[in-house]
């Protein structure tokens, strides 16, 4: 069921969103060569709990950490670990959810660890731009396919792959609500967007093919089949008559 939010719902979601943004700003500050993904996770969790919020992902279907931290060919759902040390030239995606007063915010960024290759930089830049192209379609009266089409067009124009097996989603009192928000699709198709729907738009873009697999041992880590780099950029967005309102962009 798609829940349309009230003004009060959205005010509360904006508070959750600001906490998520603050947590990601902290992540940007502390990412550096030599830090473990567990240390990065702990820094983010501290920001969330210090605001009186709880990490949305911790315990979600048994996920063992605060953030999903996904280096290089890991697309999403990487599990933070003390043994996973970030190195110069890596890219790393950090996906953060926070629940505050019963409402969730959800966002992700991909960071460069030190200096990265031109190709990695381009992948990160295009993935971010894919988000904004898609989000620009978050206007009441448009359809879900308009968002996916905008994301897919820019990604593929740049020779990148669009992950199919994972998609964006509605957000509210639950972390994942209807509708699905794919990063591919046909304009004019799919669920009609209504004023005050809140959705997480989250392009997952690869420097190679779009096929992915899930780690058989941990059941979570999602990697590109061809080991190509992958980037992720996400915000929680309110659909309005005049376009997107971003809840997780700034603390
Ligand atoms: Mg999400």
């Amino acid at each position: 069921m798609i829940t349309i939010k009230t003004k009060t719902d959205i005010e509360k979601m904006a508070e959750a969103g600001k906490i998520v943004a603050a947590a990601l700003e902290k992540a940007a500050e502390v990412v550096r060569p030599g830090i473990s993904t567990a240390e990065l996770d702990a820094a983010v969790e501290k920001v969330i709990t210090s605001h009186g919020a709880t990490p949305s992902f911790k315990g979600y279907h048994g996920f063992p950490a605060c953030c999903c931290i996904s280096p290089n060919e890991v697309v999403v759902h990487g599990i933070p670990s003390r043994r996973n040390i970030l190195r110069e030239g890596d890219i790393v995606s950090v996906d953060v959810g926070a629940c505050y007063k019963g409402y969730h915010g959800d966002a992700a960024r991909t960071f460069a660890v030190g200096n990265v290759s031109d190709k990695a930089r381009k992948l990160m830049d295009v993935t971010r731009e894919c988000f904004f192209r898609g989000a620009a379609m978050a206007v009441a009266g448009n359809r879900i396919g308009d968002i996916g089409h905008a994301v897919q067009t820019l990604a593929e124009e740049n020779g990148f792959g669009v992950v199919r097996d994972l998609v964006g989603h509605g957000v509210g009192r639950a972390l994942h609500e209807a509708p699905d928000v794919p990063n591919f699709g046909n304009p004019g198709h799919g669920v009609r967007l209504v004023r005050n729907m809140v959705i997480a738009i989250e392009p997952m873009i690869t420097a190679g093919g779009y096929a992915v697999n899930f780690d058989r041992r941990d059941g979570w880590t999602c990697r590109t089949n061809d080991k190509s780099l992958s980037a992720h950029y996400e915000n929680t967005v309110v659909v309005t008559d005049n376009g997107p309102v971003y809840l997780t962009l700034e603390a």
Side-chain angles (χ1 to χ4, degrees):
M1 194 186 74
I2 297 172
T3 62
I4 307 304
K5 274 67 185 180
T6 64
K7 188 164 168 278
T8 314
D9 292 333
I10 289 169
E11 282 167 7
K12 289 182 182 167
M13 292 193 72
E15 292 185 69
K18 282 181 187 297
I19 296 168
V20 170
L24 284 167
E25 284 171 15
K26 172 57 78 176
E29 243 175 75
V30 301
V31 163
R32 57 174 167 76
I35 195 172
S36 73
T37 56
E39 288 173 277
L40 183 52
D41 185 65
V44 169
E45 182 162 7
K46 207 171 161 186
V47 174
I48 292 173
T49 55
S50 73
H51 284 83
T54 53
S56 304
F57 302 164
K58 205 170 198 176
Y60 186 83
H61 295 287
F63 189 78
C66 170
C67 312
C68 297
I69 302 186
S70 307
N72 299 324
E73 81 282 3
V74 180
V75 179
V76 286
H77 303 170
I79 299 175
S81 164
R82 272 176 301 182
R83 292 187 305 277
N84 200 339
I85 311 292
L86 298 176
R87 291 176 308 179
E88 177 89 23
D90 286 346
I91 63 170
V92 62
S93 304
V94 179
D95 193 349
V96 174
C99 185
Y100 187 67
K101 296 180 180 168
Y103 292 84
H104 294 272
D106 188 4
R109 304 282 182 268
T110 300
F111 302 112
V113 183
N115 289 311
V116 300
S117 69
D118 290 347
K119 190 177 183 186
R121 173 63 59 191
K122 184 181 173 197
L123 177 67
M124 291 192 296
D125 290 348
V126 169
T127 301
R128 181 178 182 279
E129 186 58 27
C130 280
F131 165 82
F132 284 102
R133 292 277 185 98
M137 298 294 130
V139 183
N142 281 354
R143 290 183 183 265
I144 284 287
D146 296 321
I147 296 174
H149 180 73
V151 170
Q152 181 178 15
T153 301
L154 183 65
E156 293 179 352
E157 272 172 11
N158 282 278
F160 294 142
V162 177
V163 172
R164 306 290 201 272
D165 292 1
L166 296 138
V167 296
H169 50 90
V171 191
R173 287 187 169 276
L175 176 63
H176 292 126
E177 296 186 351
D180 283 352
V181 184
N183 296 304
F184 51 93
N186 296 312
H189 284 71
V191 169
R192 191 176 292 283
L193 301 174
V194 176
R195 185 198 312 150
N196 294 348
M197 275 173 69
V198 181
I199 53 178
I201 301 173
E202 50 176 321
M204 289 157 264
I205 307 297
T206 77
Y210 62 72
V212 299
N213 63 83
F214 291 86
D215 190 285
R216 265 184 241 158
R217 276 164 302 173
D218 68 31
W220 285 103
T221 309
C222 174
R223 297 183 179 88
T224 52
N225 281 3
D226 60 10
K227 299 285 197 300
S228 58
L229 291 178
S230 183
H232 185 201
Y233 189 96
E234 173 185 27
N235 285 296
T236 301
V237 175
V238 187
V239 175
T240 79
D241 293 333
N242 311 309
V245 173
Y246 303 111
L247 298 184
T248 50
L249 210 50
E250 284 175 350

